[in-house]
Every structure is written in C-alpha cells, then in structure tokens.
C-alpha cells in the first residue's frame, strides 16, 4: 500500500474520533444542565419553603403550627431523617422540645429538658453559642460513654447538626437540630439555609412573645380603663379661624363617664362637646383651652349644671391636638363638708357655752384651746392662757404631779382625778379633771383634752364638815369606808351592766305562732323606745315601728323566713319618740314534726352608730386622699414582694412626682430598683426591708442620691401600714444642705480672720485690749498683761478695772471718760497707773 493509500484510509478514523468526542461533550453538557436544573429546582423549593413560613407568620398562624412547619422545612432542606426544635425554658434555663418529627416517646422523654452539661449537640451549641455538627455520633466525644448515645442509635441516628436560633435583637431563643440515619456532614449551602431558617424562626418566636405581652398589656389597660372609678374623656381640639381652641370633639369615654353624665358613648363619639352640651360650664372649656395652649395639666373642682353634681377634675394634654380629663363625683363629699361645717359650728357653740371647763394642750403640754367657762373659773383671759404650760397654773408642789399625769396621756391612758389649780387671784381652784389623750391618724401623740368641773365649794364644805365633826372622826372613817366600798361595788356593777348594754345593744324576741304570744327582751324595748310597762307589740303594731319605705321589704323577708329560710337584713325604724335608727334583724322559724311552723325567734341589734362610723370612714378616706394630693412632702406607697426583696410602686403624690422628676403613670407597677437604680448604694432599701419586717417606723437621715435623671439631698420617713404596704414620706433638702455648707464655709473664713487679727494684735509692742458690749475684755496682748500685772488667761471686767485704777484721759477732743466708754469707734490715748507691786483689781 502506497503512502497515499494509507493517508486515504486514515481519514475515516479521524472523523469517527471527532464525532465520538463531540458526542461525549454533548453528554457532559447535558449532565451539567441536568445538575444545574436540579440545583435551581432545589433553590426554588427551599426558597419557597422559607417564603411559606414567613407567610404563615403574616397570616397569624399560632406559634406551635409555625414551629412544626419549620422543623419539617429544616428536615427537607438538609435532607435529614428526623429533627426537632427546642426553645429556652426561662424557669429552668434549659432547652425544651416544642416541635419534632419522627422521634419516639422514649427519645422525647430522655431529651425533654437539656442543659449545657448534658451529652447532646444542642447543649453544646447553647454553651458555645455556635453551630455544632457531629458527622458520626459513635466517634464524637460529645456522646462517648453516655446513655444519650444508645438512645440515638435506637432511633437509627448516626449524624446530627444543631444550630442556635438568635433573633435580630441578639436574644438566644433556642436550638434547631436535624438528624441523619447515616454518617453525614451537611453542605455549606444547606447550613447557610439552616442559618436563615434559624434566624427567621428566632424572630418569629420573639415577635410572638412580644405580641402576647402587648395583647396582655392592652387587655390589662382596657380592663383598667373600663373599671376605673373615675370618669374619663378624650377629645380632639377644634380651633377657630385665629388658631384658638374653642370646642372639642369626643374621641373616647369610659363607662363611668356615661353613668355620671347620662350620655351614651355611641351617641356622642365624633360630636363636639358644645354640640352635645351647649349649657356646659364655661370654666371647663376655659380650662381645656389653658391646658392645650400651655401643655401643663390643670386640677380643679367644678359644678356641672347638666348633672347638678360636683366633680374633682384633672385635665391634661396627651399631645398638642388632644385633651383628656378624668372626673370624680365629689357631690357627696361636698355635702358632707357642708354638713361637717354646720356640725363643727354647732359643737363649737356647745363647747363655748358648756357649764364645764374644757382645756386642750399639745404634745408639749402647751395650751392651744380653752373655753370661756375655764377662763372664768381660773380668772384669766384666753390670751393670758393660750401658749402657756398647764403647770404654769399650779403650785410648785403640784407641778411634778401634773407632769406625771400628762406623761400618762402620752402612754394612751384616759382617766379622771381631782386636782388643785391656782386662780389668778391666788386662791385654790379644786376640780374634777377628766382627761383623754389625742393621737393623729398615724398614731402619733398630739396632746390631750380635759374637761374640768369646779368642786371648790364642795371641797370647802368638806373641810368645814371635817372641822365640825372632829370628835366623830373614827366613826366617820369607818362609815365612810363602808360607804365607799358599797359605792364602788354599786358603781362597778352599774358600769359593767351599762358597758355590756352599750357594747352589745342587742335584743331578742320570740313569737309563738300558734297562740300569737310574743316575747320582747328588755333591750328590745330600749332599741325601739317602747315603754317597758306596755306588752310586747303584735305584728301589725311592730310594723308601725318600721320606716314606711322599708315595711314592704321587712314584710316580704319575714314571709320568706316562714318558708324555712334564715335571713339577716338591715332596715330603718322610727322609735316612739320619732327618732330614726338603723337595725339589723336575724330570725329563724322552728317547725314541728309535720313541718308546720310553730315558733319564730330572732335578734335585733341597733347598728346606727356602726353605719355612721362607716360613713365617717368614707369621709376620712376622702380627706386622706386630698391631703395625699396637696401635701408638699413627697409620699410614695409600695407593695412589698418576695419577702421584702423588692418594692413595687403602688402610688405617688404630685409632690413626689415633682421632687423625683417622674410621672405617676410611668412608675406604678414598676420596681423601686428599676426607677431608682442606685437606691441600694444610699441604703434606703435596707431601711424599707427593716421597717417591713419589724413594723417599726424609721427616719432615714439626709442622704445624697444621684442617677441619670435626678441629683438631690433627701430625707425619708418610712412606716408600715396595717394592710402591709410601706409608705415613704420624703423631702428635697438640697437647698438647705447647700446653705449649711455655705454657712460652714463662712464660719471657717471668719475664724481664720479672727486668728489673723489675734496674731497681728499680739505682734504690737504697745498695750492693746478689746472689750465687748457686755463690758468684758475680749482680747489683751502680752504687753498689756505685763503692764498691768494681769495674770495670763484671766478674764477682766472693764467697769471694775476702770473703777480701781487711776486713769488719766488725754483725749484731744476733750470727751469725758463716760462719753468715751460707750464709743467703740473713738480712739484716744490714756494714761493708766497702778500702785507699786499691785495686780489689776479687775482680774478674776
């Protein structure tokens, strides 16, 4: 074969080789396209999974459903066998499984709670705060020699990855883990997607918890808004053409506002106040305008002509376009105050016209009030007695006795005794003194009140009688002792009986239904004011004692009792003398064996005083609240929790808000340590804890406190209420403290100047002395001591010195010694001589 033949034969082989190469390249490109398509499909699938989970949260799915879908997504992304999600359990600080797929009950029980020391990848991931991947659990030191390894192998698991879930705010929420049934390490892409899924899930958990907190807060404040005891309105400002507020459009009102005004919420929202209430008090509109323009809250009392009621009103502006107000109906308080004024006027008249002397002293026994009768029997005017001590009007030998009586008042002892005072004319005034101590609402002793009866005439008669019957002294003593004993026994018996009747004021009655005979106890007659000589009233006559408005109610109640019901009810009665009283009646019916009522019995108690006291307590509470609001000292009320480990703000008065630069609504319900973070450094919380444990009030000395919001010197007085709350009364004494420091600085400067002057005087070679306005030498230099033979350190009387030494005035002005002696500013030469060897006669 020639060379040309061989070349011709090689051509088909080369063509076949090229064709095979092109076919292989096409297959490779096709495989790459298939692989790329699979990757894109996986990317789309995984992206859709993440998007789907985001939509579940937006759609408002519950957290459990979202977490369950999340773990299924994690398993799909990592091509895993099983998986679970654990979140941090705050009470235990451990990881708790909340969603899982594929695990047995044995696995779930074993890994129910996991901490950082347990043999688990989730615990290791939480401890390191980063992902932990175990390619083969049989070779990992995490599981070596642990029971956890056996549990995992029983589940068919050989590999696991655990990724922490950390939210955008940096909060650790839990762990997401996927498990594999073969030795395996997830790809970088899978781990990246798991990171995205973990972050997304952490944010969902955090947002869900935040939503729950907000919903609970909204529910709590809505409940408070609905159930608050004060009326509330929120309105939008309506401006005139000049930009001045002149009307307000209703935005919100609470149920109390509706009840107080008679206006329904649905009828007024969106309408203006002047449209709904054209006759509204113009003061209210004026106060609204002042608050809107100044931004400062207003607190005032106002009369509503619409409702014919008085309201305690607080107005504030939440923002420049709105105004809000709270209203409290104080009509009852206003009426009570007027009644109290009338009552006080009436009782002051009674006191001033009383036939007995009335004397009131403060805690130091200084007179603060004395009535006209007391001044008459003492012989002094009121001005001569007010401000004087009680013992200023007794003899010297009686002063220790009266001081001892006053000390017994401090101990809370009330008593009656005979005592002798001295009138202005020097004559004795014998009295029977009935004294009782006075305490304020905090239990602090404020003084005592005494009622004095003039028994001077009786004492004088007793003295004359003793003089007349000296010869019968022994007989009188024996008879007097017998009479005193009998009198005391009788007095004790009467007092005991009267006390029992007064305290109980309880009567009983018994009705025989068959015969109609009724029995009333002695106390029943007293309660109803019925003559004891009259028989107990029958039922129709009894009903006449019942107030006409209550008769139907009492009649129905007694009929109910006949059906076997035990009842207790309050109703009014009108006594025989026309006086109205309030009683409580309890009764029961006795039945025979045939279930027929045969007897009815019960008790009646006069509760008029109890009702009056309840009403007075309500008035007292109102006064306390008013004092709480207007007192210049800061007052805070705390609830004590955790056995005194924390103190929660319950209330704070306006003065406290001003001193501490806080708003009450911003601190109520919060911890003391949250509002005043450095309170432990000043030691005030230790005082709180001690007062709460012991119940003894304490004063906390002036102390400096500073944080980011305030810096001040403050004093505190802390005490415990009977209900268990703590009260702190405090004052800002920063200005006083600064003044004291300035005073100390000035005193120090004055002392330095005095020391400098003394050094200067002592350096002068001539005799020099200074005298004060009390005619004593205050400064004498050493030459003066030496010249006049004055022993060092002796005080010298100027007058005595000048009287005993011979002084030759050489005043150029020709002034006499007497003229110069009172002139501290006039200086002139003197010539002073002493007898040889004599000391200054003025030295002492």
């Amino acid at each position: 074969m020639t060379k040309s033949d061989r070349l011709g034969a090689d051509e088909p082989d080369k063509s076949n080789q090229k064709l095979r190469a092109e076919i292989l390249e096409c297959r490779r490109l096709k495989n790459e396209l298939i692989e790329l398509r699979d990757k894109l499909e996986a990317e789309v699938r995984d992206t859709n999974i993440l998007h789907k989970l985001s939509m579940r949260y937006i759609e408002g799915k519950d957290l459990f459903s979202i977490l369950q879908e999340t773990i299924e997504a994690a398993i799909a992304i990592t091509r895993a066998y099983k998986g679970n999600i654990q979140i941090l359990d705050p009470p235990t600080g451990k990881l708790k499984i909340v969603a899982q797929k594929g695990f047995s009950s044995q696995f779930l029980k074993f890994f129910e709670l996991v901490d950082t020391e347990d043999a688990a990848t989730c615990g290791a991931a939480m401890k390191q705060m980063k992902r932990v991947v175990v390619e083969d659990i049989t070779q990992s030191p995490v599981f070596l020699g642990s029971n956890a390894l056996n549990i995992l192998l029983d589940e068919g698991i050989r590999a696991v990855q655990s990724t922490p879930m950390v939210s955008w705010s940096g909060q650790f929420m839990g762990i997401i883990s996927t498990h594999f049934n073969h030795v395996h390490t997830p790809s970088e892409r899978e781990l990246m997607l798991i990171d995205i899924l973990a972050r997304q899930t952490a944010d969902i958990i955090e947002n869900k918890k935040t939503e729950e907190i907000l919903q609970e807060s909204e529910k709590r404040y809505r409940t408070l808004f609905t159930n608050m005891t004060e009326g509330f309105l929120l309105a939008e400002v309506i401006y005139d053409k000049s930009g001045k507020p002149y009307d307000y459009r209703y935005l919100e009102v609470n149920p109390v506002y509706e009840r107080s005004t008679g206006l329904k919420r649905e009828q007024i929202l969106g309408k203006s106040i002047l449209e709904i209430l054209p006759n509204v008090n113009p003061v209210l509109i004026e106060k609204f305008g002042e608050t809107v323009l100044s931004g400062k809250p207003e607190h005032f009392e106002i009369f509503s002509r619409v409702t014919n009621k008085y309201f305690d009103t607080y107005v504030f502006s939440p923002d420049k376009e709105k105004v809000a107000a709270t209203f409290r109906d104080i009509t009852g308080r206003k009426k009570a105050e007027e009644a109290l004024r009338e009552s006080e006027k009436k009782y002051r008249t009674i006191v001033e016209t009383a036939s007995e002397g009335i004397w009131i002293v403060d805690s130091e026994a200084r007179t603060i009030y004395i009535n006209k009768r007391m001044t008459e029997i003492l012989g002094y005017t009121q001005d001569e007695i007010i401000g004087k001590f009680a013992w200023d009007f007794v003899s010297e030998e009686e002063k220790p006795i009266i001081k001892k009586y006053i000390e017994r008042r401090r101990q809370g002892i009330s008593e009656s005794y005979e005592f002798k005072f001295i009138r202005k004319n020097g004559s004795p005034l014998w009295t029977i003194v009935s004294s009782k101590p006075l305490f304020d609402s905090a239990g602090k002793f404020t003084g005592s009140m005494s009622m004095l009866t003039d028994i001077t005439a009786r004492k004088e008669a007793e003295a004359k009688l003793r003089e007349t019957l000296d010869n019968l002294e022994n007989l009188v003593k024996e008879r007097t002792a017998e009479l005193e004993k009998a009198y005391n026994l009788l007095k004790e018996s009467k007092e005991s009986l009267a006390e029992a009747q007064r305290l109980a004021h309880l009567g009983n009655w018994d009705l025989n239904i068959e015969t109609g005979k009724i029995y009333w106890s002695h106390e029943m007659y007293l309660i109803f004011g019925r003559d004891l000589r009259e028989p107990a009233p029958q039922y129709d006559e009894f009903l006449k004692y019942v107030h006409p408005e209550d008769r139907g109610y009492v009649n129905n109640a007694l009929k109910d009792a006949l059906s076997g019901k035990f009842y207790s009810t309050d109703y009014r009665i009108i006594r025989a003398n026309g006086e109205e009283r309030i009683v409580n009646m309890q009764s029961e019916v006795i039945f025979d064996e045939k279930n027929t009522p045969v007897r009815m019995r019960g008790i009646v108690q006069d509760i008029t005083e109890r009702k009056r006291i309840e009403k007075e307590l309500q008035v007292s509470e109102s006064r306390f609240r008013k004092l709480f609001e207007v007192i210049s000292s800061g007052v805070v009320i705390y609830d004590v929790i955790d056995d005194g480990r924390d103190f929660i703000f319950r209330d704070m008065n306006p003065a406290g808000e001003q001193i501490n630069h806080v708003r009450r609504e911003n601190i109520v319900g919060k911890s003391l340590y949250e509002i005043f973070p450095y309170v432990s450094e000043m030691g005030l919380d230790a005082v709180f804890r001690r007062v709460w444990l012991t119940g003894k009030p304490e004063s906390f000395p002036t102390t400096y406190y500073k944080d980011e919001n305030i810096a001040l010197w403050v004093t505190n007085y802390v005490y415990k209420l009977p209900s268990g709350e703590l009260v702190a009364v405090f004052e800002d004494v920063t200005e006083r403290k600064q003044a004291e420091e300035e005073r100390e600085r000035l005193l120090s400067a004055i002392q330095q100047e005095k020391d400098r002057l003394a050094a200067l005087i002592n350096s002068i070679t001539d005799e020099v002395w200074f005298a004060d306005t009390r005619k004593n030498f205050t400064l004498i230099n050493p030459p003066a001591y030496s010249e006049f033979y004055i022993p060092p350190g002796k005080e010298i009387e100027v007058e005595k010195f000048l009287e005993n030494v011979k002084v030759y005035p050489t005043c150029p002005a020709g002034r006499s010694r007497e003229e110069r002696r009172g002139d501290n500013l006039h200086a002139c030469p003197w010539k002073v001589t002493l007898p040889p060897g004599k000391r200054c006669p003025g030295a002492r």
Side-chain angles (χ1 to χ4, degrees):
M1 181 178 292
T2 64
K3 181 177 181 181
S4 61
D5 292 333
R6 288 196 301 270
L7 290 174
D10 289 337
E11 287 298 326
D13 291 336
K14 290 180 179 181
S15 296
N16 290 335
Q17 290 177 359
K18 183 177 180 181
L19 180 60
R20 283 196 298 272
E22 289 176 353
I23 292 172
L24 291 175
E25 181 64 19
C26 288
R27 289 178 179 175
R28 185 185 66 79
L29 291 174
K30 183 178 179 180
N31 290 334
E32 287 182 356
L33 287 173
I34 293 171
E35 184 179 353
L36 180 59
R37 184 196 62 189
D38 293 341
K39 287 182 178 181
L40 288 175
E41 289 177 352
E43 290 287 348
V44 171
R45 183 199 63 195
D46 295 339
T47 301
N48 287 336
I49 290 173
L50 296 176
H51 177 70
K52 180 181 177 183
L53 289 175
S54 299
M55 293 303 297
R56 289 289 184 269
Y57 173 67
I58 295 173
E59 292 168 359
K61 286 281 187 176
D62 64 277
L63 183 60
F64 175 78
S65 299
I66 294 174
L67 293 178
Q68 191 60 42
E69 290 186 26
T70 299
I71 191 57
E72 292 176 0
I75 292 171
I77 288 172
T78 58
R79 315 298 188 270
Y81 176 47
K82 300 179 180 181
N84 63 59
I85 293 178
Q86 300 159 289
I87 63 172
L88 186 64
D89 184 41
T92 62
K94 297 182 179 182
L95 294 171
K96 182 178 181 180
I97 296 176
V98 294
Q100 62 87 25
K101 183 176 182 182
F103 291 107
S104 67
S105 58
Q106 180 185 12
F107 176 92
L108 296 176
K109 183 177 181 180
F110 186 84
F111 290 102
E112 181 180 6
L113 291 174
V114 177
D115 63 18
T116 56
E117 303 304 322
D118 289 336
T121 54
C122 53
M126 180 172 67
K127 184 175 183 180
Q128 301 173 23
M129 287 306 292
K130 65 180 181 180
R131 181 177 19 251
V132 173
V133 178
V134 176
E135 183 181 20
D136 186 351
I137 63 173
T138 62
Q139 304 299 319
S140 172
V142 174
F143 301 102
L144 188 61
S146 68
N147 292 332
L149 178 60
N150 296 329
I151 297 294
L152 291 171
L153 292 174
D154 288 344
E155 292 289 322
I157 295 170
R158 285 296 301 273
V160 62
Q161 72 80 27
S162 294
T163 301
M165 296 187 297
V166 180
S167 69
W168 64 270
S169 63
Q171 293 294 317
F172 173 72
M173 293 297 170
I175 298 292
I176 182 168
S177 302
T178 53
H179 305 73
F180 307 90
N181 57 2
H182 57 279
V183 176
H184 178 69
T185 298
S187 67
E188 289 297 323
R189 175 185 166 279
E190 292 172 343
L191 294 178
M192 178 192 70
L193 292 174
I194 285 294
D195 284 337
I196 296 173
L197 186 62
R199 171 63 177 274
Q200 183 180 15
T201 306
D203 289 342
I204 290 174
I205 294 172
E206 185 174 56
N207 291 336
K208 280 291 185 180
K209 290 184 177 180
T210 302
E211 287 176 4
E212 291 174 359
I213 293 172
L214 289 176
Q215 289 171 359
E216 183 63 28
S217 176
E218 169 65 20
K219 180 180 178 181
R220 182 168 62 251
Y221 283 105
R222 174 56 60 178
T223 301
L224 175 63
F225 176 79
T226 303
N227 296 285
M228 63 188 294
T229 59
E230 296 179 339
F232 175 85
L233 76 83
L234 177 66
E236 179 183 22
V237 181
I238 301 176
Y239 297 92
D240 60 17
K241 294 180 179 179
S242 63
K244 180 180 178 181
Y246 77 97
D247 199 356
Y248 307 88
R249 183 174 294 105
Y250 283 104
L251 296 179
E252 186 61 275
V253 297
N254 71 341
V256 177
Y257 183 87
E258 294 180 279
R259 292 196 296 270
S260 299
T261 62
L263 301 172
K264 295 300 182 182
R265 178 175 179 273
E266 60 273 12
Q267 297 173 348
I268 63 176
L269 292 189
K271 299 180 181 179
S272 76
I273 291 180
L274 293 180
E275 180 182 355
I276 300 298
L277 302 171
N279 297 323
V280 68
N281 194 325
V283 174
L284 182 64
I285 300 298
E286 179 184 341
K287 293 293 185 181
F288 277 13
E290 292 175 0
T291 300
V292 169
L293 295 175
S294 67
K296 297 180 180 179
E298 293 280 348
H299 182 216
F300 54 92
E301 294 180 359
I302 190 170
F303 178 74
S304 171
R305 290 175 292 189
V306 177
T307 62
N308 199 31
K309 295 179 180 179
Y310 287 92
F311 291 98
D312 181 70
T313 307
Y314 180 77
V315 180
F316 61 96
S317 180
D319 59 53
K320 64 180 180 180
E321 300 299 331
K322 295 182 178 63
V323 65
T326 60
F327 301 85
R328 178 181 296 164
D329 186 352
I330 58 171
T331 308
R333 190 194 78 192
K334 283 290 186 181
K335 292 181 179 179
E337 288 175 354
E338 182 61 29
L340 181 62
R341 282 193 293 270
E342 290 297 324
S343 176
E344 183 180 356
K345 180 179 178 181
K346 178 179 68 177
Y347 284 108
R348 179 172 288 277
T349 301
I350 293 172
V351 168
E352 288 297 333
T353 58
S355 60
E356 308 294 330
I358 297 176
W359 198 336
I360 302 176
V361 298
D362 63 15
S363 59
E364 301 299 326
R366 290 185 184 273
T367 304
I368 58 175
Y369 175 79
I370 193 165
N371 73 341
K372 183 179 179 182
R373 175 57 179 164
M374 195 67 235
T375 62
E376 291 174 350
I377 61 179
L378 270 177
Y380 292 92
T381 65
Q382 284 187 330
D383 291 339
E384 290 175 321
I385 300 175
I386 297 297
K388 297 289 183 66
F389 292 106
W391 50 77
D392 289 337
F393 304 93
V394 304
S395 61
E396 288 296 326
E397 60 269 19
E398 300 286 350
K399 286 184 178 180
I401 300 175
I402 194 171
K403 290 180 179 179
K404 191 174 295 182
Y405 278 127
I406 292 174
E407 185 60 33
R408 288 168 64 83
R409 299 297 88 74
R410 294 179 184 276
Q411 300 170 10
I413 300 174
S414 300
E415 59 185 333
S416 296
Y417 55 90
E418 293 184 0
F419 196 79
K420 183 181 72 174
F421 292 89
I422 304 298
R423 291 189 175 99
K424 187 175 182 179
N425 61 10
S427 62
L429 170 65
W430 280 97
T431 62
I432 293 178
V433 183
S434 297
S435 292
K436 63 175 295 184
L438 302 175
F439 297 91
D440 62 16
S441 59
K444 181 181 178 182
F445 176 70
T446 59
S448 60
M449 181 179 71
S450 302
M451 181 172 289
L452 297 92
T453 304
D454 184 357
I455 60 169
T456 305
R458 192 194 80 186
K459 281 291 186 180
E460 292 174 350
E462 289 175 353
K464 290 179 180 179
L465 183 62
R466 282 195 298 271
E467 292 176 2
T468 304
L469 301 177
D470 281 343
N471 57 336
L472 299 176
E473 183 177 359
N474 293 332
L475 180 61
V476 169
K477 286 182 179 179
E478 293 175 3
R479 185 59 179 165
T480 300
E482 292 175 359
L483 289 175
E484 285 183 354
K485 183 177 180 180
Y487 171 76
N488 290 334
L489 290 173
L490 178 60
K491 183 179 179 182
E492 291 175 2
S493 177
K494 290 177 65 178
E495 289 177 350
S496 298
L497 178 60
E499 184 71 3
Q501 292 179 344
R502 184 184 68 81
L503 292 176
H505 210 8
L506 183 71
N508 68 288
W509 55 272
D510 195 321
L511 171 65
N512 188 318
I513 297 177
E514 295 177 342
T515 63
K517 186 176 181 180
I518 187 169
Y519 164 78
W520 269 25
S521 69
H522 181 271
E523 193 63 18
M524 286 285 292
Y525 281 85
L526 296 180
I527 292 173
F528 284 82
R530 187 176 177 85
D531 192 335
L532 291 169
R533 293 169 295 182
E534 295 180 3
Q538 294 299 312
Y539 182 69
D540 291 338
E541 186 180 1
F542 159 75
L543 281 180
K544 292 180 180 180
Y545 283 99
V546 180
H547 193 283
E549 296 178 3
D550 295 346
R551 286 174 187 168
Y553 169 73
V554 173
N555 191 38
N556 291 334
L558 289 172
K559 289 180 179 179
D560 288 342
L562 288 173
S563 64
K565 298 179 181 178
F566 176 85
Y567 81 96
S568 173
T569 183
D570 297 343
Y571 61 92
R572 293 169 290 174
I573 65 170
I574 300 176
R575 303 175 71 181
N577 62 1
E579 181 185 5
E580 182 178 312
R581 307 289 288 180
I582 303 173
V583 299
N584 171 265
M585 181 165 70
Q586 301 178 19
S587 67
E588 64 177 355
V589 177
I590 300 174
F591 297 86
D592 61 12
E593 64 279 359
K594 298 179 181 180
N595 203 30
T596 302
V598 294
R599 286 179 60 199
M600 178 183 285
R601 61 188 180 188
I603 60 173
V604 175
Q605 184 175 23
D606 189 336
I607 61 172
T608 308
E609 288 302 310
R610 189 183 77 192
K611 291 290 186 180
R612 180 187 62 80
I613 291 172
E614 290 175 355
K615 185 175 181 180
E616 290 178 352
L617 287 175
Q618 294 173 354
V619 174
S620 175
E621 169 64 18
S622 176
R623 290 177 181 167
F624 169 77
R625 172 53 62 178
K626 182 67 175 177
L627 176 63
F628 179 79
E629 295 292 339
V630 303
I631 190 173
S632 60
S633 298
V635 182
V636 181
I637 303 175
Y638 296 96
D639 285 324
V640 183
I641 63 173
D642 294 340
D643 292 330
R645 296 185 182 91
D646 200 357
F647 307 91
I648 304 301
F649 285 95
R650 182 171 181 179
D651 205 352
M652 177 182 284
N653 71 341
E657 293 180 303
Q658 184 176 1
I659 292 172
N660 289 323
H661 299 172
V662 296
R663 295 293 298 273
R664 176 186 177 276
E665 57 268 23
N666 294 334
I667 66 171
V668 169
K670 295 184 179 179
S671 167
L672 169 68
Y673 301 101
E674 180 180 354
I675 304 303
F676 300 113
Y678 304 117
V679 70
S680 294
E681 296 180 7
M682 69 183 296
L684 183 58
D685 59 338
V687 174
F688 283 5
R689 195 168 296 111
R690 193 161 55 246
V691 170
W692 184 77
L693 291 173
T694 65
K696 296 180 179 179
E698 291 191 24
S699 294
F700 192 66
T702 301
T703 310
Y704 184 71
Y705 177 83
K706 180 178 181 182
D707 59 27
E708 295 178 355
N709 298 318
I710 58 172
L712 73 166
W713 287 90
V714 65
T715 62
N716 277 270
Y717 179 75
V718 185
Y719 61 92
K720 183 179 180 182
L721 294 175
S723 55
E725 298 98 332
L726 281 185
V727 177
V729 181
F730 56 94
E731 292 186 10
D732 181 358
V733 295
T734 305
E735 292 184 0
R736 187 180 74 192
K737 187 69 175 178
Q738 292 172 346
E740 290 176 354
E741 291 176 351
E742 178 64 15
R743 177 177 175 274
E744 291 297 326
R745 187 189 65 78
L746 291 175
L747 289 176
S748 176
I750 291 170
Q751 184 61 44
Q752 291 177 4
E753 187 62 24
K754 288 175 65 177
D755 293 343
R756 187 188 65 78
L757 179 60
L760 177 62
I761 296 302
N762 288 334
S763 67
I764 298 174
T765 58
D766 292 331
E767 297 84 0
V768 179
W769 70 76
F770 288 86
D772 59 20
T773 56
R774 294 177 297 176
K775 300 179 180 180
N776 286 325
F777 286 103
T778 59
L779 184 60
I780 302 177
N781 71 341
Y785 274 111
S786 176
E787 178 68 21
F788 300 115
Y789 305 99
I790 300 174
K794 290 291 185 177
E795 293 183 2
I796 308 299
E797 295 180 4
V798 176
E799 289 293 331
K800 193 170 182 180
F801 173 77
L802 294 178
E803 289 173 0
N804 288 274
V805 301
K806 190 171 184 181
V807 179
Y808 300 91
T810 59
C811 177
R815 291 157 59 94
S816 67
R817 183 179 72 180
E818 287 72 16
E819 292 173 332
R820 291 192 305 276
R821 184 176 299 171
D823 190 350
N824 292 330
L825 299 178
H826 184 75
C828 58
W830 292 77
K831 181 179 180 183
V832 182
T833 62
L834 288 173
K838 296 293 185 178
R839 292 178 58 194
C840 175
R844 63 174 190 268

